[in-house]
């Protein structure tokens, strides 16, 4: 990662040496592959035979990640799945759990849109209506920012993870790994800074900010009268039977099988960053598996989580205008309500949301109709991958998986 790139907690690369913030076509699967994909056991699953191209693509992702990462990928088309993994030493469990980081934002967006469908909130509601006085000071104005702005990253609000003081504190990972600062306090950090822009008449402007999803957490809790965590559990995790998905909250321990996360520490020694509570809010708090992430995105785009009107709203994208780092990481496509759209080489596009935390990196992809999907989990094994290179390699893997390429 270049030295001039900002470190984003839960949305971009993590460099502890500087600042610690925070597949082949699936048609025609063999009988063995389909048998291996049957069921949804909560225990350890055996590996299905993979495909030569998926193996090659996973190896390429590991290489793009600098070699000091472990990679697990799983692709599905409804009739079965194929999986592949790569990495030195102890292998990543096939059903490994990982911190999904900013992929959590899509879960949060689903809850907000369900509440909108139930007329418990409106996408045109202002932040000021729900959270009087919270977005104010230093040019911030909650009466100018809507729920839709928060969901699609068009609020212009400062990203709290870029606060210099916060970044300095997080250099000492071991001291702060059990921190559970509530969303409201992180929003207050963001309010110390001027917004990048203020939404208004004319061209819509865009810039990624984790602060948006902390505000959504607070609004969701008021509108739905339950904590964000419980609403995700009741509205998404339980209905879909995502038995490998949870929200850790203050609990620093990883549930179930998982890979060890090792980062380069500030002192040059390896740092075990597997267990922590830092990512506990609506912008980054979901823990999942490749199987469950696939199930979630296929159900979402297949119309099982949102009514047609809300799914249409989610897939209405805007141009990313004011965030060159984000465009460098994701050169093509727009941003909807908690999802990205990226073109496919075979025509059309796919939907996804990345997640980058303290060593785990999640990449996803699902077709417009929800029929094909792929989930990739990358785990730091002593290194920190360059985001541009990693994203290029994972995009190739996703494109091959969703376009049904056979190499």
């Amino acid at each position: 990662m270049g030295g001039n790139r900002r470190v984003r907690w839960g949305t971009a690369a993590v460099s502890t040496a500087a600042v610690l913030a925070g597949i082949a076509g699936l048609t025609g699967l063999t009988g063995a592959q389909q048998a291996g994909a049957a069921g949804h056991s909560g225990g350890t699953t055996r590996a299905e035979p993979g495909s030569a191209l998926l193996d090659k693509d996973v190896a390429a992702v590991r290489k793009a990640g600098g070699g000091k990462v472990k990679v697990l990928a799983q692709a599905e088309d409804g009739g079965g799945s194929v999986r592949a993994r790569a990495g030195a030493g102890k292998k990543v469990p096939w059903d490994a759990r990982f911190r999904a980081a900013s992929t959590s934002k899509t879960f949060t967006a689903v809850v907000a849109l369900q509440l909108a469908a139930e007329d418990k909130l409106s996408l045109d509601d202002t932040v000021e209506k729900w959270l009087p006085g919270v977005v104010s000071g230093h040019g911030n104005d909650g009466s100018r920012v809507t729920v839709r702005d928060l969901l699609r990253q068009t609020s212009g609000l400062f990203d709290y993870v870029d606060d210099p003081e916060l970044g300095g504190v997080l250099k000492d990972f071991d001291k702060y790994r059990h921190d559970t600062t509530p969303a409201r306090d992180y929003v207050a950090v963001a309010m110390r800074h001027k917004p990048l822009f203020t939404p208004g008449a004319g061209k819509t402007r865009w810039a990624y900010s984790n602060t948006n999803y902390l505000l959504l957490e607070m609004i969701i809790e008021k509108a739905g009268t339950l904590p964000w965590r419980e609403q995700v559990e009741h509205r998404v995790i339980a209905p879909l039977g995502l038995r490998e998905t949870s929200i850790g909250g203050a609990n620093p321990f990883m549930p179930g099988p998982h890979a060890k996360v090792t980062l380069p520490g500030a002192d040059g020694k390896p740092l075990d960053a597997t267990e922590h509570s830092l990512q506990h809010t609506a912008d980054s708090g979901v823990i999942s598996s490749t199987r469950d992430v696939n199930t979630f995105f296929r159900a979402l785009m297949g119309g099982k989580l949102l009514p047609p009107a809300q799914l249409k709203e989610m897939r209405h994208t805007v141009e990313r205008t004011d965030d060159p780092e984000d465009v460098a990481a994701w050169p093509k496509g727009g941003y909807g309500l908690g999802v990205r759209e990226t073109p496919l080489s075979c025509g059309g596009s796919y939907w996804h949301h990345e997640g980058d935390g303290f060593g785990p990196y999640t990449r996803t992809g699902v077709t417009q109709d929800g029929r094909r999907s792929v989930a990739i989990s990358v785990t730091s094994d002593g290194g920190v991958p360059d985001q541009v290179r990693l994203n290029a390699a994972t995009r190739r893997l996703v494109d091959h998986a969703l376009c049904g390429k056979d190499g």
Side-chain angles (χ1 to χ4, degrees), residues 26 61 73 103 125 131 154 176 188 260 282 291 304 344 351 400:
L26 300 179
V61 169
T103 305
D125 287 343
L131 306 171
T154 55
Y176 295 99
K260 179 181 178 181
R291 177 163 53 187
K304 296 180 180 179
L344 286 166
W351 299 90
H400 290 164

Side-chain angles (χ1 to χ4, degrees), residues 216-259:
L216 283 168
E217 174 180 331
M218 296 164 67
I219 291 171
I220 283 169
E221 292 186 344
K222 279 198 169 185
T225 66
L226 284 173
W228 163 78
R229 172 180 180 170
E230 291 184 31
Q231 293 195 60
V232 173
E233 291 170 344
H234 296 168
R235 291 173 173 273
V236 180
I237 295 175
L240 295 182
L242 304 181
R243 285 178 280 182
E244 297 168 356
T245 300
S246 60
I247 298 172
N251 184 352
F253 301 107
M254 287 292 293
H258 57 273

Side-chain angles (χ1 to χ4, degrees), residues 58-72 85-90 92 259-264 359-361 376-387 390 394:
V58 164
V61 169
R62 181 169 182 260
K63 182 178 180 181
K68 293 184 178 181
V69 296
K70 296 181 186 290
V71 184
L72 171 65
R85 60 188 176 185
K90 187 177 181 180
V92 182
K260 179 181 178 181
V261 180
T262 305
L263 291 168
Y361 310 89
I376 309 161
S377 172
V378 179
T379 304
S380 288
D381 191 23
V384 177
D386 175 85
Q387 292 292 301
L390 181 69
T394 55

Side-chain angles (χ1 to χ4, degrees), residues 27 29 58 104 114 126 156 173 180 188 225 237 269 289 317 329 342-343 399 407:
T27 55
L29 290 173
V58 164
S104 305
Q114 287 183 354
T126 65
F173 192 82
T180 55
T225 66
I237 295 175
K269 298 178 181 179
S289 66
T317 64
T342 296
D399 193 85

